[in-house]
């Protein structure tokens, strides 16, 4: 048996050995009578596209003990989360445990609730390993013809509507499941922005998002007709941590669902028909999932992942598309307490401050040109000189400037900057 590593794998993942791969295949294939012939490791995501983990694609050639004349092949995705400087907040949020619970227990049950509709929300988890490095091995969705869209360009109306439809189904299934098994809620109490993720002194997230906010202020303070908006954002920055938490706060009376929690374009893979029209979507990376208002997912998605013309022209229509999918799915699940459209609209509006955070805190990285993002990682951002260089590159993006000129006016009209 041979293991081959691509040249761009600088440090070999020695914990992903033959014994590990054997266990993965037993779970993936539901059998034990096979021999592994070879495993070829390549990087599963482009350099600079993944910040908190190492993603590998492993193509494994194997033969059945009952048929040693033919070689079969399977491709798996492996996600390892090394404990390096800069990602301590992932430990605080217990993201490995959260994903294990989600993929092993929550996702299969949610899909079974909608089994008559052949619904698939995400990849199968074949195996998880806690030590020596937290690791999860997944089904490779590209083998089912799913693929990433362009993060630099953003999603057009057709992709966005499909996301809303699938998100409505996902949220509805979570409501039905958590009503039956409320004990799951205890695993999803904290999302990306929470007391838990921001509690450490000199916190990575506070420094990272705070740097983006400072860069935004420097970008817009000389724009004509943005003087008052600049003053309001400077006031927001004075109580930065408190305002971050205020944007993500969910009251006991909120309508709640299981949010994906990091719903941006690279955490969704699309399936297309022969005309290249998107027909299905699967979601990945549930480590930030949180039981909270659907306004969290919706605002985060709107202000990180859409083409600007879609945000300008289809904002209300997308909310309605989501609502129709949610309410239709709840009826199919015999869930009687379905919210009204106005309730959903209110949840989106009430959490618009979270959209503002996503717009200045996350969107600049997403809209960054590929030539500048190749060396991005949270570990690299610990270096002050590197971080300042990246801020200049992020905030020089034409797409970012055009978007911010629209969204900041929109947020101001909503009154969330007051």
């Amino acid at each position: 048996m041979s293991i081959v590593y691509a040249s761009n794998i600088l440090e070999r993942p020695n914990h992903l050995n033959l014994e590990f791969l054997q266990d993965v295949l037993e779970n993936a294939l539901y059998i034990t009578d096979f021999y592994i012939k070879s495993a070829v490791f390549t990087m599963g995501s482009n350099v600079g596209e993944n910040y908190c983990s190492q993603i590998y694609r492993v193509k494994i050639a194997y033969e059945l003990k009952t048929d040693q004349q033919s070689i079969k092949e399977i491709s798996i995705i492996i996600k390892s989360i090394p404990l390096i400087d800069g990602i301590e907040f992932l430990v605080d949020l217990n993201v490995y445990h959260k994903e294990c619970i989600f993929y092993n227990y929550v996702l299969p049950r949610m899909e079974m609730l909608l089994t008559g509709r052949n619904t698939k929300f995400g990849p199968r988890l074949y195996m998880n390993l806690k030590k020596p490095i937290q690791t999860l091995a997944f089904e490779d969705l590209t083998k089912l013809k799913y693929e990433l869209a362009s993060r630099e360009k953003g999603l057009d109306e057709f992709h966005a509507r499909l996301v809303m439809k699938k998100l409505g189904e996902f949220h509805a299934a979570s409501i039905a499941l958590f009503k039956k098994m409320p004990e799951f809620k205890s695993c999803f109490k904290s999302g990306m922005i929470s007391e838990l993720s921001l509690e450490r002194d000199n916190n990575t997230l506070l420094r990272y998002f705070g740097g983006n906010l400072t860069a935004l202020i420097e970008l817009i303070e000389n724009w004509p007709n943005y003087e008052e908006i600049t003053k309001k954002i400077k006031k927001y920055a004075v109580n930065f941590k408190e305002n971050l938490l205020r944007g993500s706060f969910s009251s006991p009376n909120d309508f709640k669902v299981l949010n994906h929690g990091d719903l941006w374009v690279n955490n969704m893979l699309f399936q297309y028909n022969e005309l290249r029209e998107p027909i299905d979507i699967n979601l990945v990376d549930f480590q930030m999932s949180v039981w909270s208002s659907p306004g969290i997912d919706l605002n985060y998605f709107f202000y990180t992942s859409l083409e600007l013309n879609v945000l300008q022209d289809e904002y209300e229509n997308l909310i309605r598309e989501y609502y129709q999918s949610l309410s239709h799915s709840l009826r199919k699940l015999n869930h009687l307490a379905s919210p009204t459209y106005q309730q959903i609209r209110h949840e989106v509006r009430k959490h618009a401050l979270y959209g503002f955070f996503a717009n200045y805190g996350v969107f600049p990285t997403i809209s960054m040109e590929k030539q500048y993002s190749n060396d991005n990682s949270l570990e690299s951002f610990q270096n002050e000189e590197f971080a300042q260089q990246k801020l200049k590159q992020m905030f020089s993006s034409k797409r970012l400037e055009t978007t911010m000129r629209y969204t900041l006016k929109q947020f101001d009209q909503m009154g969330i900057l007051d």
Side-chain angles (χ1 to χ4, degrees):
M1 186 269 187
S2 62
I3 297 181
V4 179
Y5 300 94
S7 59
N8 61 350
I9 298 179
L10 303 180
E11 188 173 343
R12 294 186 176 185
N14 293 324
H15 64 294
L16 306 179
N17 52 26
L18 174 60
E19 181 181 0
F20 174 81
L21 297 177
Q22 185 88 19
D23 289 342
V24 170
L25 255 64
E26 287 181 4
N27 291 337
L29 303 173
Y30 305 113
I31 58 174
T32 58
D33 56 339
F34 59 84
Y35 299 106
I36 294 180
K37 307 291 289 184
S38 65
V40 179
F41 280 73
T42 58
M43 295 307 296
S45 61
N46 294 328
V47 179
E49 298 288 321
N50 193 278
Y51 281 61
C52 301
S53 56
Q54 295 290 338
I55 307 293
Y56 306 99
R57 174 172 280 109
V58 188
K59 292 185 178 179
I60 302 174
Y62 66 96
E63 63 182 17
L64 300 177
K65 292 179 181 179
T66 55
D67 178 17
Q68 298 184 25
Q69 303 304 311
S70 60
I71 302 295
K72 303 180 185 298
E73 188 176 271
I74 185 173
S75 179
I76 60 175
I77 297 295
I78 298 180
K79 173 181 178 179
S80 283
I81 311 171
L83 297 181
I84 57 176
D85 289 344
I87 64 169
E88 297 90 348
F89 67 94
L90 295 181
V91 178
D92 297 335
L93 289 173
N94 208 8
V95 298
Y96 169 76
H97 178 254
K98 182 184 289 187
E99 282 208 291
C100 289
I101 295 298
F102 177 81
Y103 281 107
N104 282 316
Y105 303 109
V106 175
L107 178 63
R109 285 173 169 83
M110 286 172 57
E111 291 177 342
M112 286 177 65
L113 286 172
L114 295 168
T115 186
R117 303 166 72 183
N118 198 28
T119 299
K120 181 177 174 63
F121 292 124
R124 277 181 61 203
L125 175 65
Y126 294 143
M127 184 177 167
N128 50 274
L129 180 72
K130 191 170 185 178
K131 293 180 178 180
I133 297 175
Q134 295 177 349
T135 299
L136 302 103
F138 296 100
E139 167 186 30
D140 185 353
L141 290 173
T142 65
K143 298 305 175 183
L144 299 177
K145 307 300 183 185
Y146 287 91
E147 58 187 87
L148 288 171
S150 169
R151 69 159 174 83
E152 302 98 316
K153 183 181 178 185
L155 299 179
D156 63 20
E157 178 186 348
F158 300 105
H159 287 79
R161 286 183 177 275
L162 186 60
V163 174
M164 291 297 94
K165 181 177 183 297
K166 199 59 169 272
L167 188 64
E169 295 172 350
F170 180 85
H171 284 174
S174 75
I175 293 169
L177 177 62
F178 282 37
K179 183 179 180 181
K180 291 182 178 180
M181 305 183 72
E183 60 270 25
F184 281 140
K185 293 179 185 178
S186 63
C187 185
F188 301 97
K189 293 185 292 186
S190 299
M192 182 184 297
I193 300 300
S194 65
E195 289 282 2
L196 204 58
S197 67
L198 303 180
E199 67 180 355
R200 290 179 187 251
D201 292 334
N202 199 30
N203 182 278
T204 297
L205 291 184
L206 283 176
R207 285 189 286 109
Y208 182 80
F209 296 138
N212 280 16
L213 186 62
T214 300
L216 173 63
I217 291 170
E218 292 174 354
L219 175 68
I220 70 171
E221 61 185 349
N222 294 317
W223 287 357
N225 303 316
Y226 284 79
E227 294 85 359
E228 288 303 313
I229 289 177
T230 302
K231 288 180 184 177
K232 292 177 182 180
I233 295 177
K234 285 181 177 179
K235 187 176 179 182
Y236 168 97
V238 172
N239 297 302
F240 179 50
K241 179 178 177 180
E242 292 75 11
N243 281 319
L244 278 177
L245 293 171
R246 187 164 59 92
S248 62
F249 176 75
S250 181
S251 70
N253 295 326
D254 281 354
F255 172 74
K256 293 182 180 179
V257 301
L258 181 63
N259 287 265
H260 176 279
D262 193 12
L263 193 67
W264 69 287
V265 63
N266 270 21
N267 280 339
M268 48 191 78
L269 286 85
F270 294 90
Q271 199 178 54
Y272 298 87
N273 63 18
E274 61 278 2
L275 300 176
R276 292 296 296 172
E277 298 167 332
I279 56 174
D280 194 23
I281 173 180
N282 265 211
L283 304 176
V284 298
D285 199 354
F286 290 86
Q287 63 187 18
M288 297 297 172
S289 296
V290 60
W291 180 252
S292 186
S293 164
I296 297 296
D297 266 353
L298 290 166
N299 278 293
Y300 192 92
F301 173 69
F302 290 160
Y303 293 103
T304 61
S305 301
L306 298 177
E307 291 180 355
L308 179 56
N309 68 295
V310 178
L311 180 62
Q312 291 171 322
D313 300 337
E314 301 298 330
Y315 178 82
E316 295 290 345
N317 291 333
L318 291 176
I319 297 174
R320 189 167 292 280
E321 184 89 29
Y322 166 80
Y323 167 73
Q324 289 172 347
S325 175
L326 176 74
S327 58
H328 176 74
S329 299
L330 286 173
R331 286 195 299 272
K332 290 285 187 181
L333 291 164
N334 297 316
H335 188 84
L336 300 178
S338 181
T340 66
Y341 171 72
Q342 289 305 321
Q343 281 179 283
I344 294 300
R345 187 68 188 80
H346 176 68
E347 290 296 331
V348 176
R349 173 64 186 80
K350 187 164 65 172
H351 290 86
L353 190 60
Y354 197 79
F356 174 56
F357 146 70
N359 203 215
Y360 75 75
V362 182
F363 177 69
T365 309
I366 294 173
S367 61
M368 196 175 190
E369 295 177 21
K370 243 178 189 166
Q371 69 200 65
Y372 296 132
S373 66
N374 288 339
D375 52 354
N376 283 2
S377 71
L378 280 179
E379 191 175 20
S380 300
F381 274 95
Q382 303 304 302
N383 181 289
E384 184 63 27
E385 184 178 346
F386 177 92
Q388 290 303 314
Q389 177 192 17
K390 288 300 168 184
L391 282 173
K392 289 179 182 177
Q393 292 170 349
M394 284 191 283
F395 282 82
S396 65
S397 159
K398 187 64 179 175
R399 181 186 173 202
L400 180 138
E401 179 180 336
T402 306
T403 300
M404 290 293 184
R405 286 184 180 275
Y406 172 76
T407 56
L408 293 181
K409 292 282 190 183
Q410 185 188 34
F411 290 131
D412 191 39
Q413 289 168 3
M414 291 179 185
I416 66 168
L417 301 178
D418 294 331

